[in-house]
């Protein structure tokens, strides 16, 4: 795993930019730090969830359903909101259903549609895991003050929006395709609006 000290700083990248004029040292340094920080965060979350006998991808499905426990969701909607393919979501649901954490139900208004719901066992599992996961997340961010955290969230949201607007050779960078990288979003739904960028 890359260590932060191994990521080249702005000054060193200036030399590299003379060889590759398209490289902007400031944006590239920020890009590298952000990319490797994201990888590090995901690895730490995976380690924490592994101690609970589950995976990041599986738990994200449970957490998404937990936002509104009384609400059932279509598998296709879950796949879209989490950022995986329908095939991957089907496999995740199969495993969770086998463990008794979710159940498939027929949509009474359209029998062609299958809904996914959190079971009591699934709810109990989420309630047991979330406190420890929240403590882990807080520990990872403890180096920043509250104001710094708020500013960081604001900057990252602006960056997120820019991804949809940016283009590379005339084509959208993200292209609207599923990335198979679920967002570590386990925020309960509040109010009636999405609580984070994962929804």
């Amino acid at each position: 795993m890359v260590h932060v000290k191994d990521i080249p700083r702005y000054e060193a990248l200036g030399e590299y930019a003379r060889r590759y004029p398209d490289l902007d040292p400031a944006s590239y340094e920020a890009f590298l730090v952000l990319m490797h920080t994201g990888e590090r965060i995901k690895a730490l979350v995976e380690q924490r969830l592994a101690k609970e006998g589950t995976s990041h991808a599986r738990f994200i499905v449970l957490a998404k359903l937990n936002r509104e426990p009384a609400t059932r969701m279509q598998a296709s909607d879950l796949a879209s909101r989490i950022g995986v393919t329908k095939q991957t979501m089907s496999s995740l649901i199969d495993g969770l259903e086998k463990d008794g954490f979710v159940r498939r139900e027929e949509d009474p208004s359209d029998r062609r549609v299958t809904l996914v719901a959190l079971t009591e066992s699934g709810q109990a599992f989420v309630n047991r895991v979330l406190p420890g996961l929240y403590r882990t997340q807080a520990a990872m961010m403890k180096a920043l003050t509250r104001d710094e955290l708020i500013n960081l969230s604001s900057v990252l949201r602006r960056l997120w929006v820019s991804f949809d607007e940016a283009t590379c050779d005339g084509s959208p960078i993200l292209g609207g395709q599923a990335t198979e990288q679920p967002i570590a979003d386990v925020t309960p739904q509040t109010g009636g609006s999405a609580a984070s960028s994962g929804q």
Side-chain angles (χ1 to χ4, degrees):
M1 180 175 293
V2 174
H3 192 279
V4 66
K5 65 181 177 63
D6 298 321
I7 299 176
R9 292 186 174 273
Y10 177 86
E11 297 77 13
L13 289 170
E15 292 289 332
Y16 206 54
R18 280 191 275 275
R19 293 173 56 193
Y20 301 97
D22 290 325
L23 186 152
D24 176 69
S27 66
Y28 192 53
E29 180 186 10
F31 171 81
L32 289 175
V33 172
L34 181 60
M35 179 177 67
H36 291 298
T37 298
E39 292 174 349
R40 180 63 172 148
I41 288 174
K42 188 173 185 295
L44 289 170
V45 170
E46 286 279 16
Q47 290 173 20
R48 182 67 184 81
L49 291 174
K51 293 180 179 179
E52 301 291 348
T54 191
S55 68
H56 177 250
R58 283 165 54 92
F59 193 73
I60 290 300
V61 176
L62 297 176
K64 186 65 69 174
L65 292 170
N66 183 58
R67 283 191 161 193
E68 295 181 80
T71 302
R72 299 166 299 174
M73 295 181 64
Q74 292 186 34
S76 58
D77 289 340
L78 276 170
S80 176
R81 294 187 183 189
I82 292 174
V84 298
T85 64
K86 293 180 181 179
Q87 292 80 3
T88 296
M89 179 53 63
S90 181
S91 295
L92 289 171
I93 293 172
D94 286 344
L96 291 169
E97 187 175 34
K98 183 178 179 180
D99 291 340
F101 289 160
V102 303
R103 64 176 178 273
R104 287 180 168 96
E105 299 179 356
E106 190 177 82
D107 187 342
S109 63
D110 187 347
R111 293 187 176 182
R112 296 171 298 178
V113 175
T114 300
L115 302 175
V116 182
L118 200 62
T119 64
E120 289 186 6
S121 295
Q123 181 71 73
F125 181 74
V126 171
N127 290 343
R128 178 171 64 81
V129 173
L130 276 183
L133 184 58
Y134 285 144
R135 289 193 294 271
T136 297
Q137 292 172 340
M140 285 190 284
M141 309 302 286
K142 68 180 181 180
L144 303 181
T145 66
R146 183 176 180 82
D147 285 344
E148 288 173 333
L149 289 170
I150 292 172
N151 289 335
L152 176 62
S153 295
S154 177
V155 169
L156 292 177
R157 286 177 183 274
R158 284 167 48 200
L159 185 61
W160 185 280
V161 171
S162 76
F163 290 160
D164 294 331
E165 300 172 348
T167 60
C168 180
D169 296 331
S171 302
I173 289 178
L174 298 185
Q177 299 296 316
T179 62
E180 292 290 352
Q181 294 292 326
I183 300 168
D185 170 12
V186 290
T187 310
Q189 183 71 31
T190 56
S193 59
S196 78
S197 59
Q199 182 159 333

